[in-house]
Amino acid sequence: MNSTSETPRVHRAFIALGSNVGDRVEMIEKACLELDKANIKVKRTSSLFETTPMYVLDQGTFINGVCEVETNLSPMELLDKLQAIENELGRMKLIDKGPRSIDLDILLYDQEIFSHERLNVPHNLMLERDFVLRPLCQLIPHERPPKSGKNANTYSDYLKALPPPEPTPYSTTPISPHFPSLYATDPKRPTHVMAILNLTPDSFSDGGTHSPTDFTQLTETVRSFIAKGATIIDVGGESTRPGSIPVGAEEEISRVVPAIQHIRQNIPEASNIAISIDTYRAAVAEAACNAGADIINDVSAGLLDPEMLPTAARLGKSIILMHMRGTPQTMTQLTDYPNGVIPEVSAELRNRVAAAESAGIRRWRIILDPGLGFAKHQPQDLEILRELSTLRMTEGLECLPWLMGPSRKRFIGNITGVKTAKDRVWGTAATVSASVSGGADIVRVHDVQEMSHVAKVADAIYRV
């Protein structure tokens, strides 16, 4: 085989992403799309971090992150392409290390050391910059700088050796332009209350309560949710309770899309709340997002519909990946965790995060849910509530926001002896408080007013 027909070598590179002008997250997401278009394949991304500027201090805060890419380009070709993307996106650099709408810097290229008057790899200043090492350590914490030897410091070692930045950078999960980002590592963040709006006749607790065709009642319900403290409304068109019967995408769409359109077009009070679509079907998620939903809430984390993760990536929406095994019909038989529920749930969620990233979903668009009651029995649900902080800090899951959905669940009824789901308010209150203590960012509830009060008091106790 001659050299002209050889397959070009694929190189692994790490690129720093930064912006502090305009819609910073949107600019970084546009840059990632342009990288993909240029055949610089974005394989993984870090979280995004809100960071204060270094060097030139009189400028706005940055959003910073890192992405891992695969490319056939040489270091100089890659640099030229990155600078072309910066220019295409309207970057203007008036002051060195000053404000910029987009900043794309090559940090690492394979394990090479490369020096040119325009480019040095590894990046000259990367080991002194928290805003570079913090996101890089989400991707390759245990790797070492090129040619440094097997006993040299890892990137994680270098990060730990830096003086703690002040203020601490917080991970940033964007939801929509009209809704505040989630800051999962901010110890003072408020807990969001997600109100459950099931437009189903057969949900375990509130089936038949909310009609998908009675818009007068829907308006009253949504206004009531908001007045009582809900900041997110989770709209569902198919029950996923144990043993539930699937209804099909067309029926599900017919239930949820008119309701979402009505909320967005006819309820002014809802202009600043987020809407999530509770579905495991890609077609339903897309129709709902086109109607005005901001978040996809998938109980299967993309396992029940192979099109879900690619669809979420294409739509650019944030997605809740919940831990479940099997289907709603089979999950109650899949509760064996021989290595422990926390290690196995965390490992299976890491796999779903990896699958989401492989589909093109950015890490900063991912929210996790350990799936209380889904392929878990009572002791396991209680252990998750008890050990949520451990789950959150598991390597590979750190800095991501978490949703907890304990509301009126069966294990609460088993403990309290309350057989009717809607009467499990007091037991639910205890689980919501435990969720906040463990670090949940969102609690998904039926009893909005009561749980809003619980969340506020729990925030006052634990979020300091």
Side-chain angles (χ1 to χ4, degrees), residues 291-416:
D294 307 292
I295 305 166
I296 298 166
N297 183 10
D298 182 359
V299 297
S300 79
L303 284 169
L304 293 181
D305 184 344
E307 292 303 312
M308 176 59 93
L309 298 180
T311 298
R314 176 168 49 80
L315 294 171
K317 298 292 185 180
S318 294
I319 184 169
I320 299 165
L321 303 177
M322 194 190 85
H323 178 269
M324 182 176 73
R325 291 172 169 177
T327 68
Q329 294 75 45
T330 64
M331 63 185 179
T332 56
Q333 308 304 313
L334 302 171
T335 58
D336 188 24
Y337 297 86
N339 297 313
V341 68
I342 299 298
E344 293 203 25
V345 167
S346 62
E348 290 171 28
L349 280 174
R350 275 199 303 272
N351 289 339
R352 299 321 300 155
V353 170
E357 290 184 314
S358 295
I361 296 173
R362 312 307 180 198
R363 184 181 177 89
W364 57 78
R365 287 285 181 184
I366 295 174
I367 302 165
L368 298 179
D369 178 347
L372 294 173
F374 286 76
K376 296 163 196 78
H377 52 60
Q378 180 177 315
Q380 294 159 345
D381 289 327
L382 295 175
E383 185 172 353
I384 288 170
L385 281 161
R386 196 179 299 121
E387 301 293 338
L388 177 59
S389 59
T390 302
L391 197 54
R392 289 175 56 244
M393 299 305 293
T394 303
E395 185 172 295
L397 303 181
E398 66 276 10
C399 300
L400 294 172
W402 288 76
L403 178 148
M404 293 289 277
S407 187
R408 302 180 179 177
K409 288 280 172 73
R410 181 178 298 176
F411 74 91
I412 296 172
N414 291 342
I415 294 168
T416 61

Side-chain angles (χ1 to χ4, degrees), residues 14-295:
F14 291 85
I15 297 170
L17 311 162
S19 175
N20 77 331
V21 175
D23 189 328
R24 300 165 299 169
V25 173
E26 180 183 36
M27 190 60 67
I28 287 172
E29 292 186 327
K30 283 182 177 179
C32 289
L33 290 174
E34 291 300 319
L35 289 171
D36 282 332
K37 288 180 186 176
N39 205 28
I40 303 167
K41 175 62 179 172
V42 178
K43 299 293 289 183
R44 294 189 297 156
T45 59
S46 70
S47 299
L48 293 178
F49 293 90
E50 183 103 21
T51 60
T52 53
M54 290 181 69
Y55 313 116
V56 178
L57 303 181
D58 186 19
Q59 57 179 319
T61 57
F62 277 84
I63 293 287
N64 288 109
V66 171
C67 64
E68 177 185 347
V69 302
E70 286 184 348
T71 180
N72 296 324
L73 301 177
S74 69
M76 293 308 298
E77 290 170 336
L78 180 59
L79 176 66
D80 289 340
K81 191 61 201 175
L82 295 184
Q83 292 182 343
I85 290 172
E86 289 177 335
N87 292 334
E88 288 167 17
L89 293 178
R91 167 166 174 164
M92 294 181 65
K93 186 175 181 180
L94 304 176
I95 306 170
D96 185 42
K97 299 182 176 64
R100 66 217 83 161
S101 58
I102 189 65
D103 199 13
L104 304 173
D105 289 328
I106 302 171
L107 300 176
L108 299 165
Y109 184 93
D110 290 335
Q111 282 291 303
E112 292 187 20
I113 296 174
F114 182 85
S115 184
H116 185 274
E117 62 181 11
R118 292 176 54 213
L119 175 67
N120 287 293
V121 178
H123 192 285
N124 280 343
L125 302 175
M126 61 180 280
L127 296 181
E128 71 178 51
R129 293 177 167 179
D130 181 278
F131 66 84
V132 173
L133 286 178
R134 189 176 294 262
L136 183 67
C137 283
Q138 288 188 305
L139 301 176
I140 49 171
H142 307 301
E143 293 192 25
R144 297 171 171 81
K147 312 292 194 289
S148 61
K150 66 179 182 179
N151 295 319
N153 282 348
T154 64
Y155 293 116
S156 181
D157 293 330
Y158 281 107
L159 177 62
K160 291 173 185 174
L162 291 178
E166 183 60 43
T168 303
Y170 297 135
S171 62
T172 303
T173 300
I175 300 300
S176 78
H178 60 264
F179 191 84
S181 296
L182 305 178
Y183 296 98
T185 58
D186 179 0
K188 297 182 180 180
R189 68 196 183 282
T191 303
H192 285 278
V193 173
M194 174 188 278
I196 299 168
L197 181 62
N198 282 326
L199 303 174
T200 56
D202 59 341
S203 292
F204 84 97
S205 171
D206 57 355
T209 301
H210 308 298
S211 167
T213 56
D214 186 342
F215 292 138
T216 299
Q217 183 202 47
L218 178 65
T219 299
E220 292 175 359
T221 298
V222 170
R223 285 176 172 163
S224 174
F225 283 162
I226 296 168
K228 291 175 179 177
T231 52
I232 307 170
I233 295 179
D234 191 43
V235 180
E238 177 181 292
S239 174
T240 52
R241 62 182 171 79
S244 60
I245 299 172
V247 299
E250 287 188 15
E251 175 66 22
E252 199 177 345
I253 288 171
S254 73
R255 293 175 178 178
V256 300
V257 166
I260 293 169
Q261 289 174 334
H262 179 76
I263 294 169
R264 280 287 172 244
Q265 296 170 12
N266 299 296
I267 306 179
E269 297 93 331
S271 59
N272 293 320
I273 62 104
I275 296 175
S276 59
I277 174 63
D278 180 4
T279 186
Y280 57 81
R281 292 189 177 90
V284 178
E286 182 158 14
C289 289
N290 289 339
D294 307 292
I295 305 166

